[in-house]
Amino acid sequence: MLRRLLGGGSPSQGRDVPKIALDAGRPGLLNVGGGSKSFAIPKHYDGWQHLLLDIDPKGGADVVFDARELERLPAAQFDAVYCSHNLEHYHHHEVPRVLAGFAHVLKQGGFAEIRVPDLEWVFREIVSKGRGLDEQFQPNPRGPITARDIIFGWTIEIEESGTDFYAHKTGFTWATLVSSLQRAGFVEVWKAPPMVAYEMRSIALKQPITAEQRRLFGMPPA
C-alpha cells in the first residue's frame, strides 16, 4: 500500500527532542513513517525492538517527531532504519536531509532498508505495454492502485484525508536512489527483491555488509 507523508507539516525546530530508551540486549529498529504498528513489517525483524517514528501521534507512534529533523536525535542508537513508501513524500530538496538523518541515528554497523516506487518500471509498463494511467497495477480492498497513484500518490488517501500529505513530491530511479544514499554517507547499497511489483527495495549500509547481515536478508555468502 502507498503510504502518506509521515513527517510532513511543520519541522520540529523548537520542540523537545524525545528521549529514546532501548534494551541493549536486542537490536533496535526505527520505523520511519510507518503510520501504525498495525502495518506489517518484514519478518526478518522478528524479535527486534520496533520503534515507530511519526509526526502524527494518532497511529500510536513511539517517537512523535519529524523525520526531517532526525539529526537532532542522539547519534548511533539503532541497528536498522526501515522506511517503506515514505521517502517519495518529501520534496526533492528535503531527501538529503532525511537520508542524512538515517545515517545519523544508525550505529556504525547499521543499515537502512528503504522501499520506494520504481518509476522506471512504471514508465516501461506505460510506454512499452500501453498500460494507461488509470489501469489497475495492484488490487486493494479500498480500491485499485493505478499507475497514477504510484507516480503521484494514492488518490483515495489524498481525497479522503483532505490534505496533500499523501501526495508524492519526488520520485526515484535506481541510479538516483543509490546516488542519494551514497551522498548521505552510505558506503554500500544493495538491490533487494521488491515486496510488490512496482517498487525498488534497497539495503544501504554504513560499512561493508557482514555475514550476519547477508543471512538476515537471505543473501548467499560472499
Side-chain angles (χ1 to χ4, degrees):
M1 180 189 296
L2 302 182
R3 298 286 172 78
R4 69 185 175 98
L5 168 61
L6 300 160
S10 300
S12 306
Q13 289 290 355
R15 301 182 189 175
D16 291 337
V17 175
K19 294 180 180 178
I20 298 172
L22 290 169
D23 176 2
R26 288 191 297 152
L29 171 70
L30 184 64
N31 180 358
V32 175
S36 168
K37 284 191 175 177
S38 65
F39 298 139
I41 61 173
K43 295 288 288 180
H44 49 256
Y45 296 115
D46 284 355
W48 287 47
Q49 296 172 87
H50 173 197
L51 271 69
L52 173 65
L53 182 143
D54 197 306
I55 199 169
D56 187 349
K58 287 188 239 179
D62 301 291
V63 184
V64 179
F65 205 64
D66 189 321
R68 292 169 293 184
E69 302 291 341
L70 286 173
E71 289 191 328
R72 297 181 63 215
L73 297 180
Q77 296 187 90
F78 293 93
D79 299 274
V81 167
Y82 179 66
C83 183
S84 176
H85 291 274
N86 176 256
L87 194 62
E88 65 273 15
H89 292 266
Y90 300 96
H91 289 291
H92 176 70
H93 70 275
E94 296 173 321
V95 170
R97 187 175 180 182
V98 176
L99 294 180
F102 290 0
H104 172 75
V105 299
L106 283 170
K107 297 176 182 177
Q108 188 56 36
F111 63 86
E113 180 174 357
I114 300 171
R115 298 167 61 192
V116 295
D118 184 345
L119 294 187
E120 285 181 287
W121 183 87
V122 175
F123 295 148
R124 280 198 304 268
E125 291 289 305
I126 292 171
V127 174
S128 66
K129 298 184 181 179
R131 300 184 69 176
L133 275 178
D134 294 315
E135 182 178 339
Q136 176 176 293
F137 273 55
Q138 183 185 2
N140 187 278
R142 293 176 61 195
I145 293 175
T146 68
R148 185 190 305 278
D149 298 321
I150 298 169
I151 298 168
F152 297 109
W154 200 14
T155 302
I156 291 172
E157 288 189 318
I158 297 170
E159 182 178 5
E160 291 181 355
S161 71
T163 76
D164 68 351
F165 282 178
Y166 291 90
H168 293 178
K169 298 179 175 68
T170 192
F172 301 90
T173 65
W174 181 248
T176 60
L177 181 59
V178 170
S179 63
S180 296
L181 287 163
Q182 289 174 337
R183 286 195 297 271
F186 292 94
V187 301
E188 284 191 13
V189 182
W190 291 77
K191 193 170 191 177
M195 294 183 176
V196 292
Y198 58 80
E199 76 174 7
M200 295 183 295
R201 178 169 158 244
S202 64
I203 310 298
L205 302 109
K206 292 183 67 174
Q207 63 185 29
I209 193 166
T210 65
E212 181 180 355
Q213 288 167 339
R214 284 180 175 274
R215 287 192 295 270
L216 183 72
F217 292 106
M219 296 178 178

